[in-house]
Amino acid sequence: YQRRVRGIFCCLFLVMNITADETVKQIRITKPLVHSITNYVSMDLMANTLLAIGASPIMAHAPEEVEELVQLSSVLVVNIGTLSSSWIDSMKKAVVKAKSLNKPWILDPVGCGASVLRTRTCVELIGLHSPTVVRGNASEIIALERALHLDRAKIEGDLKPKGVDSCHQSDEAVQASLSIALSTGSVVAITGKVDFVTDGKTIIEVHNGVEMFTKVTAAGCALTGIVGSFVAVKSSNPLVATAEVRVVF
């Protein structure tokens, strides 16, 4: 039985690897413009990773220009790693513009649960327009799921803070990811040693985690940027596009 299951998994991984290669080829042909509103720590790594995969990055967060840039871009990536009032304003404007243009957007809820500001910002952004994909570690996904089911007073008064780094294993957040996916319509990706990607109906499990990622600052942020590039060229199937990312990155 174990050999059979392992064989089935290997076959699925092979098929996913083949489709991922095709998606990468499409990225390199079309060079989608990925507009990232991301944190200071990750900008350089995200931009270079997107260039390496074949996409075209733009890292811009000025509220005076984000709506124009969303219009030019293929996909919007929002990372809440370094927040301020003006950045939050930019994120909200960008998300609303993406909604009006029916463009995909990706949310990386960095440190959701670590502070009221981070948690409230995630909830408010999702309230404006559900992300195409939410990509986070297990602790972020668990905190986000809880916050989405609390009213504003509870978020500001009772939500226990979590660290920016995950203190949960990815399989501990599967139920939370299903809940988020069902309530928002988003694809939810939990990344870690083992990754889980779900749309609320299907769960794809990917065993391709790398321990070194936990030792490199902004590796997860770069991963979210790559999700954006895959979704940009495969917007009709964000579930598969997101799972493909973890096969190649």
Side-chain angles (χ1 to χ4, degrees):
Y1 173 75
Q2 288 179 335
R3 285 196 298 271
R4 182 185 176 195
V5 170
R6 190 177 298 113
I8 292 170
F9 176 79
C10 289
C11 290
L12 289 172
F13 190 88
L14 179 60
V15 170
M16 188 70 74
N17 193 34
I18 292 169
T19 61
D21 286 345
E22 291 301 316
T23 306
V24 171
K25 289 177 184 176
Q26 191 64 26
I27 290 170
R28 291 177 174 169
I29 291 168
T30 61
K31 299 187 183 303
L33 182 60
V34 180
H35 177 196
S36 300
I37 304 177
T38 189
N39 63 78
Y40 290 120
V41 178
S42 70
M43 283 185 189
D44 184 70
L45 183 60
M46 281 184 70
N48 284 319
T49 306
L50 284 164
L51 284 171
I53 202 76
S56 179
I58 183 166
M59 328 304 279
H61 57 267
E64 297 83 3
E65 68 172 353
V66 289
E67 291 171 309
E68 295 175 76
L69 295 176
V70 170
Q71 190 160 355
L72 293 174
S73 302
S74 305
V75 64
L76 170 68
V77 175
V78 175
N79 175 305
I80 68 160
T82 49
L83 290 175
S84 68
S85 297
S86 63
W87 281 51
I88 294 170
D89 184 35
S90 294
M91 291 172 182
K92 290 180 177 179
K93 284 185 175 182
V95 167
V96 170
K97 188 66 174 179
K99 179 181 181 180
S100 72
L101 297 171
N102 196 31
K103 291 192 176 183
W105 82 278
I106 318 300
L107 174 63
D108 191 331
V110 179
C112 181
S115 72
V116 170
L117 178 65
R118 291 171 185 270
T119 307
R120 187 175 63 234
T121 299
C122 287
V123 172
E124 290 177 351
L125 289 171
I126 292 172
L128 290 172
H129 178 42
S130 292
T132 309
V133 179
V134 178
R135 200 291 311 168
N137 64 40
S139 294
E140 291 162 348
I141 297 302
I142 290 169
L144 179 60
E145 190 274 337
R146 182 181 174 193
L148 288 171
H149 291 86
L150 296 176
D151 59 29
R152 186 184 181 91
K154 284 283 188 180
I155 291 173
E156 297 186 352
D158 296 338
L159 193 66
K160 302 292 187 207
K162 300 286 186 183
V164 174
D165 295 325
S166 184
C167 56
H168 296 85
Q169 297 300 314
S170 51
D171 60 352
E172 296 178 74
V174 171
Q175 288 303 315
S177 71
L178 288 167
S179 174
I180 294 170
L182 289 171
S183 64
T184 64
S186 305
V187 168
V188 181
I190 316 159
T191 53
K193 183 177 180 180
V194 178
D195 302 325
F196 296 90
V197 184
T198 184
D199 58 2
K201 296 172 286 187
T202 301
I203 301 174
I204 300 175
E205 185 174 335
V206 183
H207 292 249
N208 203 30
V210 179
E211 177 67 22
M212 189 183 297
F213 263 42
T214 65
K215 309 299 182 185
V216 179
T217 298
C221 302
L223 173 62
T224 304
I226 299 300
V227 170
S229 69
F230 272 62
V231 171
V233 300
K234 208 165 193 170
S235 58
S236 63
N237 198 341
L239 175 71
V240 170
T242 304
E244 285 177 348
V245 172
R246 290 303 276 154
V247 173
V248 300
F249 185 80

